[in-house]
Amino acid sequence: MTQARLFKEFLASCHARVDQALDHYLPLGDDHTQLREAMRYSLFNGGKRVRPTLAYASALAINSDALTQQSETLNRVACALESLHSYSLVHDDLPAMDDDDLRRGKPTCHIAFNEATAILAGDALQTFAFELLSEASALDAKTQVALIRQLANASGAQGMVLGQAIDLAAVDKTINLAQLENMHRHKTGALIRASVSMGATALNATTEQLTALDTYAAAIGLAFQVQDDILDVVADTQTLGKQQGADIARNKPTYVALLGLDGARAKARELHQQAVTALEGFGESADYLRALSAYIIERGN
């Protein structure tokens, strides 16, 4: 079987694994409100599951039997990451934020339900992420706290939320490349870095391994946003699953605006190479991480 076929099957298996686990951990239930329905709508609306897949791949880089030996724990980590990510998208789409009507080719949560329900669904998805980690009983307390800390640091005022605040403040303003990278290291990169570190931490990775993996994750976190900016220009709305050209319409700073289309593509390739170089100390067990770096800059949506 070719490497490309193996990687495609890995992506599919990770997607199925996290979807099955999310369905198990968050059944629809009957609370006489639309809260759980809205939560599940936002979780199961066609996401690529990049962050859970990174966590699984990072765990495999540490131990090739990780998905067998630590299945329940890694599923909780993966679901926590996807829940946190989904919350961020629900809130980013709100009228007070990016005011988007379309996400992954479907009406955004506040359009499908209403604004108040979307806010509450986002709130609930955020806290659900930490609930999942707090109930990971197979872990020792030290590792459990480390995972919770990593996710909290990546998602709050030191990470993703800060990045969103910087993003909102940058609309209609001119910023340089260093400022743009700082924004996206927080807004997009922080949770991607947490995805990689949490998968490895759950498998008791060494400090040296975590350092190398963080260098890898920092590079792909930026590469992910560079590719997003490229796709906002070259892809159509149907392919993207969201409004094409939205960043340009809002006069948001992007890598394409600062570097040009060719320059942004060169930047993505440079970041991919940095990521691959960071994994030189790992053997074949990190091949899925290497393939994910290439996938991030080659994806079409």
Side-chain angles (χ1 to χ4, degrees):
M1 188 179 295
T2 66
Q3 289 296 108
R5 178 68 179 274
L6 280 171
F7 179 63
K8 186 176 181 179
E9 289 190 359
F10 176 70
L11 287 179
S13 68
C14 289
H15 198 298
R17 175 186 287 266
V18 73
D19 277 6
Q20 184 177 10
L22 283 167
D23 188 49
H24 170 71
Y25 294 133
L26 190 70
L28 184 58
D30 182 17
D31 57 11
H32 305 293
T33 75
Q34 291 185 303
L35 178 62
R36 285 208 169 208
E37 184 182 351
M39 292 170 71
R40 287 176 59 90
Y41 178 86
S42 302
L43 280 171
F44 295 104
N45 66 348
K48 294 182 288 294
R49 308 307 196 210
V50 170
R51 289 151 192 83
T53 302
L54 282 167
Y56 289 134
S58 180
L60 288 171
I62 304 303
N63 182 341
S64 60
D65 292 323
L67 295 186
T68 301
Q69 295 178 359
Q70 296 284 353
S71 178
E72 168 72 9
T73 294
L74 289 173
N75 285 347
R76 285 184 173 275
V77 169
C79 290
L81 287 161
E82 191 63 25
S83 298
L84 205 296
H85 176 55
S86 294
Y87 128 74
S88 75
L89 298 182
V90 171
H91 280 198
D92 283 359
D93 289 337
L94 290 168
M97 297 285 190
D98 288 346
D99 195 15
D100 279 318
D101 293 344
L102 199 65
R103 170 69 66 179
R104 297 167 176 165
K106 299 177 182 178
T108 48
C109 188
H110 69 276
I111 297 295
F113 295 87
N114 57 64
E115 191 172 345
T117 299
I119 292 169
L120 293 172
D123 292 343
L125 284 167
Q126 182 194 52
T127 54
F128 179 57
F130 294 100
E131 180 184 337
L132 284 166
L133 295 176
S134 72
E135 294 176 352
S137 57
L139 292 172
D140 61 83
K142 182 178 179 180
T143 304
Q144 211 169 356
V145 170
L147 291 171
I148 291 170
R149 182 186 299 115
Q150 287 170 12
L151 187 59
N153 288 344
S155 58
Q158 301 177 71
M160 183 179 64
V161 173
L162 174 60
Q164 178 69 358
I166 296 171
D167 188 13
L168 291 171
V171 174
D172 292 328
K173 293 182 180 177
T174 300
I175 64 175
N176 60 33
L177 184 61
Q179 291 170 318
L180 183 66
E181 290 195 351
N182 177 59
M183 176 173 76
H184 289 305
R185 285 189 188 280
H186 291 88
K187 183 179 178 181
T188 305
L191 194 56
I192 285 177
R193 289 173 74 175
S195 302
V196 174
S197 68
M198 289 170 69
T201 297
L203 269 294
N204 299 310
T206 66
T207 300
E208 183 180 8
Q209 288 171 325
L210 287 171
T211 299
L213 289 171
D214 189 58
T215 301
Y216 161 87
I220 65 166
L222 283 182
F224 191 97
Q225 185 60 51
V226 175
Q227 185 65 10
D228 262 7
D229 288 355
I230 292 168
L231 291 173
D232 190 63
V233 174
V234 304
D236 56 49
T237 297
Q238 183 175 359
T239 302
L240 284 176
K242 58 184 179 180
Q243 186 60 49
Q244 187 270 345
D247 290 340
I248 296 172
R250 296 191 189 97
N251 200 24
K252 281 191 169 187
T254 68
Y255 284 95
V256 175
L258 286 179
L259 300 175
L261 190 56
D262 288 342
R265 284 170 168 157
K267 180 69 173 178
R269 291 193 296 270
E270 175 190 333
L271 289 164
H272 166 58
Q273 188 54 54
Q274 289 177 17
V276 172
T277 300
L279 298 176
E280 286 180 348
F282 292 86
E284 292 181 0
S285 63
D287 279 352
Y288 287 131
L289 287 176
R290 296 181 180 98
L292 278 163
S293 180
Y295 165 77
I296 282 169
I297 67 166
E298 293 168 359
R299 63 196 166 87
N301 59 20

